[in-house]
Structure formats: C-alpha cells, structure tokens
C-alpha cells in the first residue's frame, strides 16, 4: 500500500510541476512578446520585481522537483548496484540543491 502512495505522490509532483512550468513559460513568452525589455537594466528591473522573482524561484523549485522525480525513477530502474545508486542519487540531490541555492541568491541579491 505504501508504494502506491509514493507512486501517486511522485506522479502528482511531476504533473503539478509541469503545469506550473508551462504557465510560467507562457507568461514569460507573452511578456517578451508584448513588452520586451529594451535594455539590460529594464530586464533586470523586471526580473527583480517581487512577483516575477518569486514566480521565477517557484519555477526553479518546480523544475528541480520535476528533475528529481524523473531522474530518480530512471536511476532506480537502471542502476542496479545499491552503492552506485545511492551515490548517484546523492550527487543529483546535492547538485539540484546547489543550483537552487545559487539561483535563490541571484534572485535575492541581484548578483550572480
């Protein structure tokens, strides 16, 4: 019974994150189509506005969760040695956390 709940949870994470990413990408495309920034400062001002900055961070979180679930399932299916599987998943987790922290720092401070 517990495995079906885990599978359902992973399925929901995949679907909800995919919907958020699609909505965010459509929002960004429409913004650049109808009100493109004409300079770097205009683009930076737009991306650093509170609403867009939060939406961008949620997009990154959704992308990270989506990647985690997808790659985790592939690793669980195809990497047979348990030690290699754990090492791969650990590296993946740390990599996704590092990227998220880096983008969070950029969005909070405005510097890369």
């Amino acid at each position: 019974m517990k495995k079906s709940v885990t599978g359902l949870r992973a399925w929901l994470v995949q679907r909800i994150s995919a919907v958020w990413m699609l909505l965010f990408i459509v929002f960004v495309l429409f913004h650049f189509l109808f009100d493109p920034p004409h300079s770097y400062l205009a683009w930076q001002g737009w991306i650093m506005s509170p609403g867009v900055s939060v939406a961008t961070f949620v997009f990154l979180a959704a992308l990270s969760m989506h990647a985690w679930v997808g790659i985790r399932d592939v690793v669980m299916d195809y990497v047979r040695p348990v030690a290699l599987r754990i090492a791969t998943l650990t590296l993946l987790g740390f990599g996704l956390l590092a990227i998220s922290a880096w983008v969070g720092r950029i969005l909070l401070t405005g510097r890369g």
Side-chain angles (χ1 to χ4, degrees):
M1 185 71 172
K2 187 170 182 167
K3 279 197 176 257
S4 65
V5 173
T6 303
L8 177 63
R9 191 172 306 145
W11 182 84
L12 281 173
V13 166
Q14 286 284 92
R15 295 323 176 260
I16 291 169
S17 63
V19 168
W20 175 260
M21 289 187 297
L22 176 66
L23 291 174
F24 182 79
I25 290 170
V26 168
F27 165 71
V28 169
L29 287 175
F30 272 101
H31 175 74
F32 285 127
L33 183 65
F34 293 114
D35 186 23
H38 297 290
S39 68
Y40 174 76
L41 290 176
W43 183 84
Q44 185 182 25
W46 177 74
I47 199 75
M48 290 300 163
S49 66
V52 176
S53 187
V54 168
T56 303
F57 188 77
V58 173
F59 173 82
L60 177 77
L63 180 65
S64 295
M65 290 187 308
H66 195 87
W68 170 257
V69 171
I71 297 172
R72 183 203 63 179
D73 288 349
V74 170
V75 168
M76 298 278 286
D77 286 344
Y78 292 106
V79 178
R80 292 290 177 215
V82 175
L84 182 60
R85 182 184 309 164
I86 291 170
T88 303
L89 291 174
T90 301
L91 286 174
L92 173 65
F94 281 134
L96 290 172
L97 284 173
I99 291 170
S100 298
W102 180 42
V103 171
R105 178 178 170 253
I106 290 169
L107 291 173
L108 288 174
T109 64
R111 298 186 312 257

